[in-house]
Structure formats: structure tokens, C-alpha cells
Amino acid sequence: MALGTAFRAFFGSLFNSETSARVQAALDGEDATEQATPRIEAPQPAGEPAAAKPPARSEALTLLAALQREARLVDLMQEKLEQFSDAQVGAAARPCLQQSAAVLERVFALAPVVEQAEGERVAVPEDASPAAYQWIGEGQDPTGQVVHPGWRATRVDLPQWTGRDSDARIIAPAQVKR
Amino acid sequence: MSNAPSSAAQFAVGIDLGTTNSTVAFAPLSSEPCEPELLPIPQIVQPGQVESRLALPSFLYLPREGERESLETSLGLEPARGVAGNYARDQAADNPQRVVVAAKSWLCYSRQGRSEAVLPWQAPDEVPRVSALDCTTRFLEHLVAAWQAAHPEAPLNGQQVVLTVPASFDPAARELTRQAALAAGLPEDFVLLEEPQAAVYCWLSRQGDAWRRQVGAGDSMLVVDVGGGTTDLTLVTVAEDDGQLVLERTAVGNHLLVGGDNMDLALAHLVSQQLQAEGHSLDPWQSVSLWHACRAAKERLLAEDGPDEHTISVLGRGSSLIGGTISTTLAGQQAAAVLVDGFFPRCSLDDRPQPHASSGFQDIGLPYESDPAITRQVAAFLADHTTADALPSHLLVNGGVFRSPAIRDRLCETVAAWCGGRLTQYTDPADLDHAVALGAAYYGWTKHRGGVRIRGGTARAYYIGIETAGLAIPGMPRPLRALCVAPQGMEEGTQADVPSEPVGVVVGAPARFRFFSSTMRGDDQVGQKLDRWQDDELVESDPIELQLTSQNAGDEPFVPVRFQSRVTELGMFELWCHAIEGEDRWKMEFNVREQDEAPQ
């Protein structure tokens, strides 16, 4: 209830200047009762003070910025690969991939979905989610052979965006020498 | 609950303020056993992006005016005064003129830079300057803000805080560290702990009560702590007191400006020469990439079952990433020759550091060690502080460089050969980068909950210089006599009256005394006068001074005083003057400003 009101107050304020003025008045403690009583308590749902504010920047871009900053992954992928020999691509890819792996490890701490290695047998829980376990082939046996152990993030620890909204789509700055 | 200073404290907090990385560990005082954990430290990684890491790189970037807004964080630090951490370290490649590095080394380098704003060293005029003291304060402010953000219910100034310093820091450097810490918001009663001792406390916390079976009375433990920029040596001996084993820190080494970063740089130097011979040259940005690549190569090549060779690639700048990539292969033997033989050469106990070996680290204004051979520094340390029948029986190594078994084994074999082969070595590879902070937090915990303590008192004996009376010879300085004001091993919470003739302190002008310390003259007692000494026995640091006004002295032109030295409960050394007539006492202060005027 409170959360829903918070969203309404937020989007209402964002797109309608009249609503915005009423919410402002409510926040300032002025008497707004004749408009809508619940809005007075709305702005601060417990534990979710920023619930109404959408992130200024997509977390996907934040991750891409981290991969570019630490591993130059975007630079590598934007190269015209056909111009270079396999050996040249390999030499550049090795450090880039190693550093990308280090970023993913820090941010997501990747782990397989199942402990068993490829080729080993694993028991699939009866209520297993198809997102976590994918059957290949038919049968009733609740166990099977691991073809791919899967991947999952054991944490999500992305950098926080504190920049201006107008910079929200910058992945890497242009560097200019003086 | 003996002498627990902050009775309402909820946490023991250990802060390792390192030359290249700072870390914070903490443990709730209510939990037992004590299992300290590391505090994640939010920091700028790129303008507008904040990420938490377990270490705060000890680099300070002084941003241009237009950049400041993008470097603000929710920690509430003021970017105009400098930005610490990851982004600052990365900027050391592109904008080295705006980045202060190794502030901690400047803090203990007594010529300049401690409280004068001269850093970044040799920066162009448009860059604001800061002092090593400002810089240290900034790092600590950042750590304090990180703590407050994570633990708003437990303000840091109410916790049991332990801050570590190198054992080799002199009293003036400790005093500056204390000033920075108080300015940054540490509690008044925070404790200073020597870094190698903190490493021992970490070891003790891992052993639990088992340590009493690991060592026996008469044993001694050599602690070799190789940080990013410095190496610290300490000897801890085990004795028996009333049937209980007690630990005592009996000796510390001098401040050695050689550390893990020098090793990575040495390897990078080798590789860049190799690249040059192959016709490639590196720009400064690539040089820093090379440095990081060499750190990774070092760990790979010197690992157990490491490969015979390792490919080092430095990516091209800008859009020519693949076309500009430079690669070369580094053989394991080459790396071992540079790192193991260069920094840890086999040597005998009689070998000494070579004063004029070339090192190539002279260019940033700091007096880097002329001989980077750590084994020879250890040999000199042991020769100065032990006898042949009391050589160490245990070796504790600390610092990231010892992740390499080749380096660890070389140091251990070399020291074991001196000690007749009986040497037990301890390393916990998981703790090598964090042992100092973890050990400091454990030490804070033991102050409340009890546990074994390392005794030690002052690491050095302290002296003031007094010019002898007698006929002055024009153009010649008067002969100098050193008066011992504190013996080695003076315990925390004690004081000593210095027996001496009355000394007249002139009113209205600073009375300044030259100040010396010695790690080698262990037998000198307070009041001992030295007429002569070997050059390397006494090390001069900043002078200590006192200025009395006529309010202090009435109408007298000078006040006759005697000295009293104190070591506070918190480990700070203080020298006081007290008037022979009356009860007045004055604390003397270290003068850490640049010495442009000759002492009177």
C-alpha cells in the first residue's frame, strides 16, 4: 500500500506539475488533507527511502564500463578482427580475457549451478526450476549426467553510479592530451 | 577487563595504513573467539562510479576543478582536498603530476615533506600541493567515513581502535601519525601498534592456545614484514615468567625503503629493456600496464610448479588495441634471477648491505635503499641484535611478495643456514596481505577480553644532544654530548626522571635540542652521557624543542629544568621539562618543519 502510493506520488510529481506541487506541500507538512489523506505518509515507506527513484543509469552499462576500464573489453570487441592474424588477436585477447574474468569474479563471484563436474551424475530436485536445470533427452529417471554444470552469480556487487544523469550513457571518457 | 579504555566500545577496529594499500579489520568485542573480518571500503573507480574494495590504495589524486563534482561520493568527502583509492592509483599512469604516492615514506623522511606542502614531488605550478601529513589525514578520513557508512550505530570514535605504524617509525613520525589520526576522527584513546607485532598477533589469533606448544622459553621469532614500499624487521623472544610463557619484542630494525613494488618495478624494467631490444618503446600508460602485468607474471612464474615461461602482453593505446599490442616472453629463470637473486641473494651472516650498489629508485626524492638485498639487511639486523647462540628459532614472514614459494623458501633457507638449520617457518598465504589489520583488530580485542600480549616498550633508546661547555673555537661546532633520556624497552605507562645537571631554558626563544635514537645501544640507562659514538649507532631525527614565555617564567631570563621522559599508555614517547624550583612542567614538541635555521 505505502509503496504503491510512493510510486504514484513519484510518477505523479514527475509528469504533472500540479501533483508535484501537492506532494511538495505534503512533504513540507502543509495541510493537504482535502486532496488525498494517504499521500502525507507516502514518501517514506519503511526501509525503502529511495524506492521511487529509478536508477539514472542502466546497471548493464555500469558493468560494461567496469569491463572496459579494467580489461578494455569494449575496445577489443570493437576492433576489426579480420585485419589481424590469429596470433595478434590471441596476444591481445589473453590479458583482456584474464582481466575480464577478474572483474566478473569480483562482481558476481561466479560458481557452477551443480557441484558435479561434466560427465558425473547428478540428482535433479523434483521441483527444479527450468531456469536452473535443463533436461536433455527423455525418461523418468530423476538423475542424469552433467553435460554443462551451469553458472550462477553468488553475489551481485556492481559499482554504484553517482554521476550526473546526462553522463549516464558514458562508458569510457574520451582522453585528450594537452 | 583490565584498563579497557572505551568501556562502551562494541568493536575492536584495526587499521593498517600501508605505503601502497590501507585496510581495516574489525571484530565485535562481545564475540569469542575473536574472528576479525575486513571492512569493504567504497571508493571512486571512475568519475561517477563507486565500488567497494577490501583495500584503499594509498594514493591521493588532486583533481582539476571541473572534475570535482563527478568525484563526490555518499561518504561526504571533499574531492577538492584530494581523492584517495583506486581511481587515484589509476591516475598515477595518466596524470602522475597530480598523484601523491608513498606519502607514508615521506612521513618518516625527516628532511622535508612531512608537514610542508611539497607533494606531489616536483609537480607543475597549477597542481595544488599537500604535505605527507595532509595526505595521511585524507586516507584516514576516507577509512573513517567508510566505517561510519557501514556502522552508523557504532561511531568510530567510541570504538577500540588500533592503528599500526612501522616498527621503525621514529617518535616524530609517530606523533605526526597521531595528529593525522585525531584530525581524521579517531578516538583520543586509540592505540599505536607496530606492524610486525600486529603480524605476530594475527599468527597468535590463528593458533589459539596452541602457540604455547609451538614455541618454548629461549626461542625467538624473526618477523620479516615486506610491505609495498618498506621492509620492517623485528625480533620477538619467548621467556618464562612464573611458569607462563611470555613474549617480548626485543629488537626492531631501521626503516628500509624497499618493498614489493620495487620488485615488480625491477621485473618491469627488465621486460621493458627486452622490449626495447626488440624495437618497441612504451608510453607511460603502457609502462604502468607493464608494471601490473609483471606483478601477475611474478606470481605465476614463481608459483609452485610454475610454467617455464610466461607471455607478457601490453595492450595498445586508444583504438589500436590489437595492432598496438606488444608481447614478449619472460622465462621463469629470468624472473627468478631478478627477484629471488636480486632481492633475496644467498649470503652469509657476515655479509652487510653494500652502500653503493645501484638500485635505480633514486628519482622520486626519497632515499631508497642503495642495496635492495633484503637477506643482507636481515643479516646486518641479526648481527646487531643477537649473539651466535641466540639466533632465531622461528621465522614469520608477512607481505604479498611471500605468496611466491620461491621467495619464501629462499629467505627461509638463507636464515636457516645461519641458525644451524633449526628454523620453523610460519606463513598463512591467505593472510599475507591483511595480517597487519587483522592482527591489530585482534590486539584491540585482547585489550578488552584478555589474551597474550607482546611486551616490549620503546624499540629504541632516545638521546638528546647537549653541547659541552668549554672554550669555543671560532668556526668549529662545540663538541656534542648525547644524554640518554629513555632506555630501550621503556614500558608503556611509565616515566623516568633523567638525572643530569640543570639545563637552562631561555625564555622567549625556542630551546631546541638535537634528538637521536639508537636500536643498537641496548645497555644504556637513562642519564647515561655519551661523549663519542660510532656513526651508525645513533640516528638523528627531528629536533625537539620548547618555547617558554614570560608568563611561564615570571621575570627570570631563563628557567633551570631537568628532563623527564614518559611513554604513554598508548605507546607515545614524550619528553617533558620540569622546573627545578616549583612544580611547573612543559611538554617538548618535535619540530618537523623544514630546518632552514640552524639550532641555537
Side-chain angles (χ1 to χ4, degrees), chain B residues 340 346-347 375 395 405-419 421 423 425:
Chain B
V340 183
R346 288 182 207 283
C347 65
T375 40
L395 173 67
I407 289 179
R408 215 161 60 214
D409 292 348
R410 170 61 68 84
L411 177 66
C412 190
E413 283 163 20
T414 308
V415 178
W418 304 336
C419 305
L423 185 74
Q425 183 221 296

Side-chain angles (χ1 to χ4, degrees), chain B residues 167-168 194 196-197 221-223 232-237 248-254 381-382 384-386 454-460 488-489 518-520 522:
Chain B
S168 46
E194 294 172 2
Q197 286 193 48
M221 177 183 278
L222 170 67
V223 186
D232 228 356
L233 304 175
T234 284
L235 198 62
V236 174
T237 56
E248 186 176 2
R249 191 266 283 107
T250 45
V252 303
N254 288 323
F381 171 73
L382 289 179
D384 287 343
H385 297 290
T386 60
I454 303 168
R455 297 177 186 172
T458 53
R460 302 140 184 256
Q488 247 178 52
S518 175
T519 57
M520 292 164 72

Side-chain angles (χ1 to χ4, degrees), chain A residues 81-132:
Chain A
L81 293 183
E82 62 274 19
Q83 293 178 358
F84 302 102
S85 70
D86 287 0
Q88 281 177 298
V89 175
R94 186 195 300 272
C96 179
L97 291 175
Q98 282 169 336
Q99 285 155 22
S100 296
V103 172
L104 294 185
E105 178 56 32
R106 199 180 62 239
V107 172
F108 297 131
L110 297 180
V113 175
V114 295
E115 294 300 315
Q116 289 77 3
E118 281 174 30
E120 289 178 11
R121 290 200 77 78
V122 64
V124 177
E126 211 170 297
D127 56 350
S129 148

Side-chain angles (χ1 to χ4, degrees), chain A residues 69 72 79 106 160 162 175, chain B residues 46 48 50 316-317 321-322:
Chain A
R69 179 173 66 246
R72 299 192 56 208
E79 287 269 34
R106 199 180 62 239
Q160 269 180 328
T162 59
Q175 295 184 304
Chain B
Q46 188 173 328
V50 177
R317 186 88 201 248
L321 181 132
I322 296 178

Side-chain angles (χ1 to χ4, degrees), chain A residues 25-70:
Chain A
L27 284 170
D28 291 345
E30 292 170 34
D31 186 16
T33 41
E34 78 277 17
Q35 298 296 334
T37 322
R39 286 193 186 165
I40 296 177
E41 320 162 347
Q44 288 292 327
E48 286 170 302
K53 181 150 166 54
R57 171 176 168 108
S58 154
E59 289 194 328
L61 285 184
T62 299
L63 176 64
L64 200 56
L67 289 167
Q68 165 66 9
R69 179 173 66 246
E70 293 182 43

